[in-house]
Amino acid sequence: MDLSQIKAVIVDDDVIKGFDIRKALEFNGIRNIETVRNQEKLWEQIYRGEEKIDLIVTDMQYPLEAGGAIDEEAGFKLIERIEKEKIDIPVIVCSSLNYSIPNILGSVWYNKLSDLDSNFRKVLGRFK
């Protein structure tokens, strides 16, 4: 698949990490990238359907809604809702904790010692 044609949404409240993820996605050919800081914005986009979302990259801990407190289960709630509502959007988890989660495209461990570009390339290789 031509990754330059897809739209990716990053769900992360950490500005620096969001920037690093954006750079890694761009390095791998994805050009249409948006960052949202909470799930409220993501669900608005999904349900409005104005622009198709092809990929979600999510952290695991962030506010569910604007101005809300950080929810330590936010990423799990996102994945669960996508499965429950049968929303056909692949998910990549990018977190400072190394997760292994079934039924998602993959996980990328975010740490300063790893090659984020290469790690995303491996997971994006599964994208269809």
Side-chain angles (χ1 to χ4, degrees), residues 25 29 34 36 39 43 50 53 64 71 75 82 90 99 105 113 125:
L25 293 174
E34 182 174 349
V36 295
Q39 283 187 28
W43 294 117
E50 293 172 4
I53 298 171
L64 294 176
D71 185 322
I82 285 173
Y99 287 95
L105 187 61
L113 301 176

Side-chain angles (χ1 to χ4, degrees), residues 43-109:
W43 294 117
E44 284 176 18
Q45 287 187 16
I46 289 172
Y47 294 133
R48 258 190 329 216
E50 293 172 4
E51 185 176 5
K52 183 178 181 267
I53 298 171
D54 301 298
L55 176 67
I56 297 170
V57 180
T58 186
D59 188 15
M60 296 303 280
Q61 300 178 1
Y62 51 84
L64 294 176
E65 57 192 36
I70 290 179
D71 185 322
E72 293 185 3
E73 300 290 316
F76 290 112
K77 290 175 181 177
L78 172 67
I79 293 165
E80 181 180 297
R81 186 168 171 183
I82 285 173
E83 289 177 351
K84 182 180 177 183
E85 296 184 21
K86 297 183 182 356
I87 296 170
D88 188 25
I89 303 173
V91 174
I92 297 174
V93 167
C94 184
S95 176
S96 57
L97 298 175
N98 198 3
Y99 287 95
S100 178
I101 301 170
N103 304 322
I104 64 171
L105 187 61
S107 294
V108 173
W109 183 26

Side-chain angles (χ1 to χ4, degrees), residues 13-59:
D13 63 327
D14 183 317
V15 175
I16 294 170
K17 185 171 156 212
F19 179 75
D20 289 344
I21 294 169
R22 174 182 291 273
K23 284 187 346 188
L25 293 174
E26 288 173 346
F27 177 84
N28 283 286
I30 297 175
R31 302 287 177 253
N32 188 359
I33 305 166
E34 182 174 349
T35 302
V36 295
R37 307 260 179 257
N38 57 66
Q39 283 187 28
E40 183 178 45
K41 288 286 189 191
L42 175 67
W43 294 117
E44 284 176 18
Q45 287 187 16
I46 289 172
Y47 294 133
R48 258 190 329 216
E50 293 172 4
E51 185 176 5
K52 183 178 181 267
I53 298 171
D54 301 298
L55 176 67
I56 297 170
V57 180
T58 186
D59 188 15

